[in-house]
């Protein structure tokens, strides 16, 4: 019911506030339990058969609210800019098939509002991309995966945002007078060359101007990312984060604090980082791993 949903949302908000209230204690290295305790909480990962879903072209089911939206033919090859219109109702309808395969966990590539079909260019971290459906559609997906004991891992793109991300767009429009000037790393040159043939005059991922990098030194940026992480992790059925380009975040202590906050909210949360080189400096407990892959 609407009332019970409202109560659950308020409970989630209170729990997030509790965790954020512990931030400074956790920053100092203290945590609620030992590393050994958290290691035991992650035993489920060892029994997991993962299935990765690229939401844009995995499955599509007609849904209310998409009238008038134009998508390419479902059988067409994907390009960098086309949209097939894959959505959460389609994913939910495909769960019996996935369960039949024997999987018990799904890693979703990014699902938040974006103007790119792969959604690594995030516009709004608190909104499900409307092409994929509504938050209710996502909640229904989580409800059905939970019934099948299928865990969900979300993709966290916290190194960089996009030109359409509100705070960066504000900086583009207003320049150095923007209150968000410290959210990103600029060279003090304005206007920013985000839409220009000239090289970008701000830090961006792999020098791609469409992907401005956050300034993780800024406390407000850290708090924003922590709130995003806890907001979605607090949902029943979300079991962790796959972290995109985490080695690009150079601020000492950022990821250990991120981990402690997530673990304080959900002790069995699984955090896995996409790091293409040896990652010894990121390993801090028994539950971490760093495996060399040989071809």
């Amino acid at each position: 019911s609407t009332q019970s949903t409202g109560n659950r949302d308020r409970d989630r908000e209170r729990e997030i506030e509790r965790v954020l209230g512990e931030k400074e204690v956790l920053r100092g290295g203290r945590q609620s339990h030992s590393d050994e305790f958290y290691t035991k909480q992650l035993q489920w990962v060892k029994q997991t058969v993962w299935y990765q879903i690229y939401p844009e072209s995995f499955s599509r089911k007609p849904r209310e609210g998409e009238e008038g939206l134009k998508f390419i033919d479902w059988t067409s090859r994907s390009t960098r800019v086309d949209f097939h219109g894959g959505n959460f109702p389609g994913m939910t309808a495909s769960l019996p098939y996935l369960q039949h395969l024997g999987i018990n966990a799904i890693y979703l590539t990014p699902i938040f509002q974006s103007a790119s079909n792969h959604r690594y260019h995030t516009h709004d971290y608190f909104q499900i991309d409307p092409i994929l459906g509504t938050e209710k559609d996502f909640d229904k997906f989580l409800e059905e995966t939970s019934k099948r004991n299928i865990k969900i891992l979300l993709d966290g793109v916290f190194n960089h945002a996009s030109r359409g991300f509100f705070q960066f767009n504000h900086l583009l429009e207003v320049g150095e007078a923007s209150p968000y000037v410290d959210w990103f790393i600029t060279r003090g040159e304005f206007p920013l060359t985000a839409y220009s043939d000239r090289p970008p005059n701000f830090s961006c991922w792999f020098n791609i101007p469409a992907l401005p990098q956050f300034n993780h030194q800024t406390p407000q940026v850290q708090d924003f990312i922590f709130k995003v992480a806890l907001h979605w992790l607090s949902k029943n059925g979300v079991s962790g984060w796959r972290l995109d380009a985490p080695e690009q975040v150079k601020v000492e202590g950022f990821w250990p604090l991120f981990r402690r906050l997530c673990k304080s909210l959900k002790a069995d949360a699984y955090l896995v980082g996409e790091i293409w080189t040896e990652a010894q400096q990121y390993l801090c407990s028994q539950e971490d791993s760093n495996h060399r892959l040989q071809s």
Side-chain angles (χ1 to χ4, degrees), residues 27-161:
R27 191 191 302 275
R30 292 180 58 186
Q31 52 189 20
S32 302
H33 302 282
S34 67
D35 283 340
E36 183 179 4
F37 169 84
Y38 289 122
T39 300
K40 291 179 179 178
Q41 297 300 308
L42 283 176
Q43 292 303 305
W44 66 266
V45 179
K46 297 180 181 179
Q47 312 301 322
T48 299
V49 179
W50 292 95
Y51 191 98
Q52 180 176 346
I53 287 181
Y54 176 63
E56 158 58 22
S57 57
F58 176 71
S59 181
R60 178 171 180 265
K61 184 178 180 181
R63 63 177 183 83
E64 184 179 352
E66 68 173 13
E67 298 83 2
L69 298 181
K70 295 183 179 180
F71 303 116
I72 63 172
D73 183 80
W74 187 255
T75 61
S76 299
R77 288 178 61 90
S78 295
T79 70
R80 204 165 56 86
V81 295
D82 288 326
F83 287 83
H84 282 89
N87 56 28
F88 275 111
M91 285 183 257
T92 302
S94 300
L95 288 175
Y97 161 74
L98 294 175
Q99 190 174 26
H100 179 72
L101 293 180
I103 66 104
N104 55 9
I106 294 171
Y107 154 46
L108 293 172
T109 59
I111 60 173
F112 307 122
Q113 185 175 301
S114 173
S116 62
N117 51 18
H118 51 73
R119 297 182 175 87
Y120 281 93
H121 298 49
T122 313
H123 280 195
D124 190 334
Y125 288 84
F126 288 102
Q127 296 293 329
I128 297 296
D129 192 296
I131 291 176
L132 296 179
T134 65
E135 189 163 344
K136 286 185 178 180
D137 292 327
F138 179 53
D139 288 342
K140 180 63 176 177
F141 174 74
L142 292 178
E143 179 183 336
E144 294 300 319
T145 53
S146 294
K147 287 179 182 177
R148 293 168 168 80
N149 294 315
I150 296 174
K151 295 182 180 292
I152 300 300
L153 190 74
L154 299 181
D155 205 323
V157 187
F158 300 136
N159 171 65
H160 50 266

Side-chain angles (χ1 to χ4, degrees), residues 168-199:
F168 187 76
N169 192 259
H170 198 284
L171 187 57
L172 285 180
E173 296 287 342
V174 179
E176 59 187 324
S178 170
Y180 303 106
V181 66
D182 290 333
W183 277 55
F184 303 92
I185 304 170
T186 71
R187 300 172 187 165
E189 304 169 3
F190 295 93
L192 298 182
T193 55
Y195 294 95
S196 172
D197 293 333
R198 291 183 293 155

